[in-house]
Amino acid sequence: MGVSGTLEYISDLVNNGHNHKSKKNKKQLQTIVLKVRMDCDGCERKVKNALSSLSGVKKVEIDRKQQKVSVSGYVEANKVLKKAKSTGKKSEIWPYVPYNLVAQPYAAQVYDKKAPPGFVRKVDTPAVGVSRYEDPSDSYVTIFSDDNPNACSVM
């Protein structure tokens, strides 16, 4: 616990006194990433001004080439999304994950031509009929057995 943590603890004790009723829940600092359709500098400025006006927002970063907006601060994701939609722009929570985190990146539901390079669409469950990639060395271990060398399934 550093100096700031100690000061915060003492401040809470002084403000609350001996009254230990429910504390007000503080929002945590987080970064919300959105996909917002923006075509020009005006669109970008409109979205940035709208999101910056939210209480608790510390920083708004926009990458128009990827249609990506990052909002950092003490805010809730649904409020940020609602504010972005209020600008009239098509908005959604960032739907992409890095390519290497997906088991089947070219499954029908995962592959998206509009995804930025190195990203695919985030899907919670794998597509029906798509099996998970298995290491080929696992199958060799099951074919040959040290316990019974005459039970080779290749023959």
Side-chain angles (χ1 to χ4, degrees):
M1 183 184 265
V3 173
S4 63
T6 305
L7 291 175
E8 186 176 326
Y9 176 75
I10 292 170
S11 173
D12 286 344
L13 285 178
V14 170
N15 290 338
N16 292 337
H18 294 291
N19 187 4
H20 293 292
K21 291 183 180 176
S22 65
K23 281 186 172 181
K24 182 180 176 185
N25 290 337
K26 294 182 180 179
K27 295 177 186 173
Q28 292 186 355
L29 179 66
Q30 60 182 343
T31 300
I32 294 118
V33 183
L34 303 173
K35 180 180 180 185
V36 181
R37 178 82 174 132
M38 297 172 286
D39 298 321
C40 62
D41 290 337
C43 297
E44 186 176 329
R45 193 170 34 255
K46 185 176 184 180
V47 170
K48 187 168 188 165
N49 289 340
L51 295 176
S52 297
S53 70
L54 279 171
S55 63
V57 171
K58 299 294 180 191
K59 182 170 58 170
V60 177
E61 295 177 350
I62 296 180
D63 182 358
R64 190 169 66 202
K65 185 176 181 182
Q66 289 187 346
Q67 305 290 312
K68 185 176 185 179
V69 177
S70 300
V71 179
S72 299
Y74 301 96
V75 291
E76 295 176 17
N78 58 354
K79 288 184 180 179
V80 173
L81 181 62
K82 187 175 180 181
K83 189 68 168 183
K85 286 183 177 181
S86 73
T87 63
K89 305 295 175 196
K90 184 178 176 186
S91 306
E92 62 181 318
I93 298 293
W94 187 253
Y96 304 117
V97 294
Y99 173 84
N100 57 356
L101 295 181
V102 179
Q104 292 291 329
Y106 291 108
Q109 297 171 339
V110 175
Y111 184 67
D112 187 358
K113 292 179 185 177
K114 296 178 184 177
F119 288 89
V120 292
R121 188 166 284 278
K122 180 180 179 182
V123 177
D124 294 332
T125 57
V128 177
V130 175
S131 65
R132 222 177 136 248
Y133 172 74
E134 294 181 16
D135 190 14
S137 64
D138 290 343
S139 62
Y140 297 135
V141 171
T142 58
I143 292 174
F144 301 102
S145 171
D146 290 338
D147 297 332
N148 187 0
N150 297 327
C152 176
S153 62
V154 174
M155 293 184 186

